[in-house]
């Protein structure tokens, strides 16, 4: 599943809360230049997996390594130099400007009491440009739409200058054009050497833009591999309990359309918390 050297490895990971396992025996590599899509139904554990990989939740079993070192043995500052996390939502209690929110990422580099230098300003400027935010950097974060706020959070992750970025449903609540625009931007980042893990609901976005897929199944296990290997009728139907129509368009390429539910999901939904 790798494009380059693994920046992050997930090895037999069990993720969940207390004694309740939500996702089990998850294994994959996140490599430089790679974009991995994390798929699954609501409640399948996608957010739980991402939070565990980010170190926000302890693994119930297995491990996550960064640069070959176990995540749990790294200090918070060491983790922040290697790994950035973009949550589904994020707010500010005070009306910080866009630039101030993005610049906050630099504290992982300079420390809480450090002062900004030329390198920090360059990193923030580059992150703002990458997310097309330079012209609005003075706006208060509290005045932004959901899509604009999402771009600011991604810019903050870029300003952190980490080799790997975890993005939890970055396309949620965006209109179709903005979703494509965002995914093409993420592809550009991966082409520049970033290692990206992106949780998605849209199977077509995953097929079109991801190099590798991690599809969480109803029993908490995962099917991993290339889009051609994973996004096939029998696997998708088992994962989503839905019948799909597969087609091909000469300009778009292959696509997948949900047709009809195959029945009750039983225990396949509601396992995670906000997943």
């Amino acid at each position: 599943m790798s494009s380059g050297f693994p920046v992050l490895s997930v090895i037999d990971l069990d993720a969940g809360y207390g004694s309740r396992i939500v996702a089990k025996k998850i294994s994959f590599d996140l490599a430089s230049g790679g974009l991995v899509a994390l798929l699954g139904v609501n409640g399948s554990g996608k957010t739980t997996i991402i939070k565990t990989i980010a170190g926000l939740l302890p693994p119930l079993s297995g491990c996550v390594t960064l640069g070959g070192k176990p995540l749990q043995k790294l200090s918070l500052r060491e983790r922040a130099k290697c790994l950035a996390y973009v949550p589904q939502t994020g707010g500010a209690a005070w009306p910080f400007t866009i630039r101030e929110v993005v610049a906050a990422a630099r504290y992982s580099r300079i420390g809480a009491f450090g002062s900004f230098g030329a390198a920090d300003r360059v990193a923030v400027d580059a992150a703002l440009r990458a997310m097309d935010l330079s012209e609005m950097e003075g706006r208060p974060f509290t005045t932004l739409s959901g899509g604009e706020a999402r771009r600011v959070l991604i810019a903050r992750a870029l300003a952190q200058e980490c080799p790997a970025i975890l993005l939890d449903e970055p396309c949620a609540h965006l209109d179709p054009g903005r979703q494509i625009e965002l995914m093409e931007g993420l592809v550009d980042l991966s082409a520049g050497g970033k290692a990206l893990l992106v949780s998605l609901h849209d199977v077509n976005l995953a097929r079109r833009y991801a190099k590798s897929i991690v599809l969480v199944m109803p029993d908490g296990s995962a099917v991993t591999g290339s889009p051609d290997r994973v996004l096939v009728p029998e696997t998708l139907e088992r994962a989503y309990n839905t019948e799909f129509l597969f087609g091909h368009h000469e300009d778009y390429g292959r696509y997948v359309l949900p047709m009809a539910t195959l029945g009750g999901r039983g225990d396949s939904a509601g396992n995670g918390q906000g997943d």
Side-chain angles (χ1 to χ4, degrees):
M1 294 182 65
S2 298
S3 298
F5 181 83
V7 175
L8 180 152
S9 293
V10 179
I11 306 167
D12 289 334
L13 180 70
D14 286 358
Y17 306 87
S19 61
R20 184 165 65 91
I21 297 175
V22 174
K24 60 186 180 182
K25 302 303 178 188
I26 308 296
S27 295
F28 65 92
D29 288 333
L30 192 58
S32 59
L35 195 162
V36 177
L38 178 62
L39 296 173
V41 298
N42 287 336
S44 62
K46 298 187 298 297
T47 293
T48 303
I49 292 169
I50 286 183
K51 285 185 174 180
T52 304
I53 294 172
L56 301 176
L57 292 173
L60 302 185
S61 183
C63 68
V64 178
T65 64
L66 280 172
K69 299 179 181 179
L71 178 69
Q72 299 300 317
K73 293 185 178 181
L74 299 176
S75 69
L76 292 178
R77 191 170 180 186
E78 287 174 323
R79 296 180 196 180
K81 290 181 179 180
C82 300
L83 183 64
Y85 166 60
V86 180
Q88 289 185 30
T89 58
W94 302 98
F96 295 110
T97 66
I98 290 174
R99 186 175 187 88
E100 288 169 336
V101 172
V102 174
R106 298 302 298 173
Y107 288 113
S108 64
R109 297 282 176 179
I110 64 177
F113 301 102
S115 58
F116 268 53
D120 302 301
R121 287 189 290 273
V122 168
V124 172
D125 288 341
L128 291 168
R129 284 196 303 273
M131 288 293 106
D132 195 23
L133 294 168
S134 299
E135 297 300 319
M136 50 191 294
E137 64 175 41
R139 280 183 58 184
F141 185 79
T142 50
T143 67
L144 303 180
S145 68
E148 290 169 336
R150 192 83 36 75
R151 284 158 54 202
V152 173
L153 296 179
I154 296 173
R156 184 177 65 181
L158 294 178
Q160 207 170 317
E161 292 190 311
C162 298
I165 303 177
L166 313 178
L167 301 102
D168 192 0
E169 297 192 24
C171 293
H173 310 302
L174 297 182
D175 62 60
R178 281 292 188 180
Q179 290 181 22
I180 291 173
E181 183 181 87
L182 176 58
M183 290 304 300
E184 289 179 347
L186 295 180
V187 169
D188 289 342
L189 291 177
S190 67
K194 294 290 186 184
L196 305 177
L197 174 64
V198 184
S199 70
L200 296 169
H201 277 298
D202 193 316
V203 174
N204 284 305
L205 289 178
R207 175 182 286 281
R208 185 174 185 182
Y209 294 109
K211 292 184 177 180
S212 303
I213 305 292
V214 177
L215 175 59
V216 184
M217 306 302 289
D219 65 356
S221 65
V223 178
T224 61
S226 68
D228 287 341
R229 175 181 178 273
V230 176
L231 303 181
V232 296
E234 58 270 24
T235 305
L236 283 176
E237 288 178 4
R238 188 157 55 95
Y240 291 97
N241 199 40
T242 299
E243 182 181 1
F244 290 88
L245 171 68
F246 286 71
H248 183 273
H249 187 275
E250 60 180 346
D251 295 323
Y252 182 88
R254 283 176 291 180
Y255 61 85
V256 181
L257 297 176
M259 293 291 290
T261 181
L262 297 176
R265 280 181 178 152
D267 294 331
S268 67
N271 293 326
Q273 298 186 3
D275 297 312

